[in-house]
Amino acid sequence: MRRYFFLPLLSLLILSSCRFKPKDGLSWDTNLVAPIVKSSINIEDVLTDSTVVQVNPDNSLKVVYRDTLADLSLSDYLVVPDTSVGAKITLDSLSLATDTLEQDLTLAQMAHALKDQGDPAGDLILNNHGNTIPWIQDITGQSSPPIRIDAGEFFEEADLISGQMVVEIINNLPVSLENVTFNLTNDTIIFDTLVQQTIALIPPNSTATDSASLAGKTVYSKLAGAMQNLDLTAPFLQSIPIDTFDFVRLRVIVKDLGASRATAVFPAQRVLDDRSRIKYEFGDDLAITRFRVESGQLRIRAFSTIQDTIEFSYTLPTAIKDGLPVTVQERLIPDTVADTAGANILFELEDYYIDLTINGDSINLFPYHLTGDLLYSGVKQTMDLNDSIDVFYGLFQIKPAYIEGYLGRQDFDFVDSLDHQRNFPRHIAPYGQLHVLVV
């Protein structure tokens, strides 16, 4: 009977506890434990890019952590100083054109002059062309008409600070020439003798040469050269073959002209040839024999007031890349409006090897070669000592990538800190930390 009494009572309790009451609303509480996300993580996922994981043969892991302790470059160790060299060329180093003129004075011309003067020797010579006659008297006081020299194609006028007049007299006569006096003059309204010289004796079939300085003279484009006097002499009664086509030739050469002022057509010429070397002062007793350039430039700045084109070339024979030295060429072309010419050049020296030994017998030196050529234009230009060519050149902002030589000793101080402790999930490192080997 007890058992049956218990069951109805239990049923009554259950029904009482689950009685539905709509007016109280519907609600219940839950406390569940269930997986929300399922995933996995390995050690590489928690290491930084600067950390390298190496798997050992026993499947253990070696973790190598890398970081920068200090950052030093060759530019911190070796400072290549900037260099600058200048050259100036003025008109006193420019040359004017060489000019050569010549004139013949024939035996026939001399005979006609004697005849016009009433001297019977004139007819004697003219009437015996092709014959041999005895020499009975010397012929004196002969002269040639002026040789007109028109140098206007080359210059109009010049104040010379240097120059020479060279005279060659070629005696193609069968008799001697004595007391040969010649001169060179400006053939202008005002008679102006530049040079006058005398040669005492010129034997038959020979040449005599004399010269005189033109320094300090003002020379005009129109000149005149002349033999003012010559005497024909031979031993008395010597048999002389007469050929009225025989002659005396006067050759005048005006050369090596340098001017302080000139209006001229200047010939092509080299006006600058600077071959020298630059010594680097690195300091601290550094002895550098060779280095490769990481970055830096060769800079050239040129300026000219000369009204002809200047072509210049700059070479660093010991700065080599791909087997070729540094070579820069440029032209200074005059501006017809500004009357000047200029150029600015930047040449990058990246990856050039620069040898500072000059054939192995020096250190900290590099050679250079600068040339400038005035190009022939065929046009007359006026220049004076105020006209010039200015060239500035050098190496700037050079940073080396490679150095050879004695580098001395230098100390560098730096302060830095590294955090080598990393926190990881406990299922990877039991205590939440992983210690790595730093190399």
Side-chain angles (χ1 to χ4, degrees):
M1 291 300 290
R2 290 179 184 175
R3 181 174 53 185
Y4 292 108
F5 174 78
F6 174 74
L7 289 174
L9 180 60
L10 179 62
S11 299
L12 180 61
L13 291 172
I14 293 173
L15 290 173
S16 299
S17 63
C18 294
R19 186 173 56 185
F20 180 70
K21 296 180 180 180
K23 67 178 180 178
D24 294 334
L26 181 63
S27 65
W28 62 86
D29 296 326
T30 62
N31 186 10
L32 302 177
V33 177
I36 302 301
V37 177
K38 182 179 181 181
S39 183
S40 63
I41 187 170
N42 57 40
I43 195 167
E44 288 90 345
D45 296 325
V46 297
L47 298 179
T48 65
D49 292 340
S50 60
T51 307
V52 177
V53 177
Q54 299 176 1
V55 181
N56 296 321
D58 60 356
N59 290 325
S60 63
L61 300 180
K62 178 188 288 186
V63 180
V64 180
Y65 179 77
R66 290 184 172 88
D67 205 344
T68 301
L69 292 175
D71 188 4
L72 295 176
S73 67
L74 281 177
S75 60
D76 298 319
Y77 190 81
L78 176 67
V79 177
V80 180
D82 292 345
T83 66
S84 182
V85 179
K88 186 181 185 71
I89 309 98
T90 56
L91 186 62
D92 61 357
S93 63
L94 294 172
S95 300
L96 300 178
T98 294
D99 201 3
T100 300
L101 301 159
E102 60 182 39
Q103 185 181 55
D104 293 344
L105 179 62
T106 65
L107 184 57
Q109 289 174 310
M110 296 183 209
H112 282 294
L114 290 171
K115 183 178 179 179
D116 292 342
Q117 297 169 11
D119 190 329
D123 284 329
L124 179 65
I125 293 172
L126 294 172
N127 294 333
N128 284 281
H129 174 70
N131 298 324
T132 300
I133 62 173
W135 186 262
I136 56 175
Q137 71 175 43
D138 292 341
I139 301 173
T140 61
Q142 294 300 297
S143 63
S144 70
I147 304 173
R148 302 297 178 185
I149 304 172
D150 187 356
E153 181 181 353
F154 305 104
F155 69 92
E156 291 182 4
E157 63 176 294
D159 295 336
L160 300 180
I161 57 177
S162 64
Q164 277 191 315
M165 181 192 75
V166 177
V167 175
E168 294 180 356
I169 298 179
I170 302 169
N171 180 14
N172 199 33
L173 298 177
V175 296
S176 297
L177 300 179
E178 294 183 4
N179 304 316
V180 181
T181 301
F182 58 89
N183 65 14
L184 179 68
T185 65
N186 282 317
D187 193 18
T188 57
I189 296 176
I190 301 176
F191 184 79
D192 181 14
T193 299
L194 299 173
V195 175
Q196 181 167 302
Q197 301 282 97
T198 298
I199 299 175
L201 174 65
I202 306 174
N205 301 307
S206 65
T207 300
T209 303
D210 201 358
S211 63
S213 173
L214 295 173
K217 307 288 186 180
T218 297
V219 180
Y220 295 91
S221 61
K222 295 189 181 299
L223 301 170
M227 286 185 289
Q228 290 183 302
N229 181 81
L230 72 161
D231 300 335
L232 282 62
T233 64
F236 183 67
L237 297 180
Q238 176 178 322
S239 296
I240 303 297
I242 301 299
D243 184 346
T244 56
F245 294 106
D246 287 342
F247 59 88
V248 176
R249 174 167 294 161
L250 173 65
R251 178 178 293 136
V252 178
I253 304 168
V254 180
K255 66 176 186 176
D256 301 334
L257 300 180
S260 60
R261 180 189 61 85
T263 300
V265 176
F266 291 91
Q269 59 196 282
R270 176 151 292 181
V271 297
L272 173 62
D273 194 341
D274 183 15
R275 192 186 299 269
S276 187
R277 60 185 65 182
I278 293 177
K279 181 175 178 63
Y280 270 129
E281 299 293 346
F282 292 112
D284 297 321
D285 298 324
L286 270 64
I288 308 302
T289 59
R290 188 169 180 255
F291 67 87
R292 179 169 64 85
V293 179
E294 178 181 339
S295 63
Q297 304 94 27
L298 163 66
R299 299 180 187 176
I300 302 176
R301 180 168 58 90
F303 181 80
S304 173
T305 62
I306 293 178
Q307 296 306 294
D308 271 330
T309 298
I310 302 294
E311 182 176 72
F312 67 88
S313 172
Y314 185 84
T315 304
L316 296 176
T318 62
I320 305 296
K321 180 179 179 180
D322 299 328
L324 299 175
V326 171
T327 301
V328 177
Q329 292 182 318
E330 186 60 271
R331 288 187 174 185
L332 298 176
I333 301 175
D335 187 321
T336 55
V337 176
D339 291 335
T340 58
N344 285 286
I345 299 170
L346 285 179
F347 186 93
E348 295 295 334
L349 295 172
E350 180 181 355
D351 290 333
Y352 272 88
Y353 282 87
I354 299 181
D355 189 339
L356 301 181
T357 65
I358 307 182
N359 301 322
D361 60 359
S362 63
I363 56 172
N364 300 349
L365 291 174
F366 76 91
Y368 64 87
H369 187 199
L370 175 66
T371 62
D373 295 305
L374 186 148
L375 304 183
Y376 176 77
S377 66
V379 179
K380 291 178 186 175
Q381 306 290 355
T382 298
M383 305 182 195
D384 59 31
L385 289 178
N386 293 322
D387 288 304
S388 64
I389 307 166
D390 295 275
V391 183
F392 301 92
Y393 47 93
L395 305 184
F396 294 86
Q397 299 179 343
I398 300 296
K399 291 185 177 181
Y402 168 88
I403 304 172
E404 292 180 11
Y406 173 70
L407 304 180
R409 175 178 176 176
Q410 294 190 37
D411 297 324
F412 295 92
D413 296 328
F414 57 88
V415 178
D416 200 355
S417 62
L418 297 174
D419 181 8
H420 305 306
Q421 180 170 292
R422 301 282 173 166
N423 293 325
F424 300 101
R426 290 183 179 275
H427 69 279
I428 296 177
Y431 298 100
Q433 297 178 347
L434 180 67
H435 297 280
V436 298
L437 174 65
V438 180
V439 296

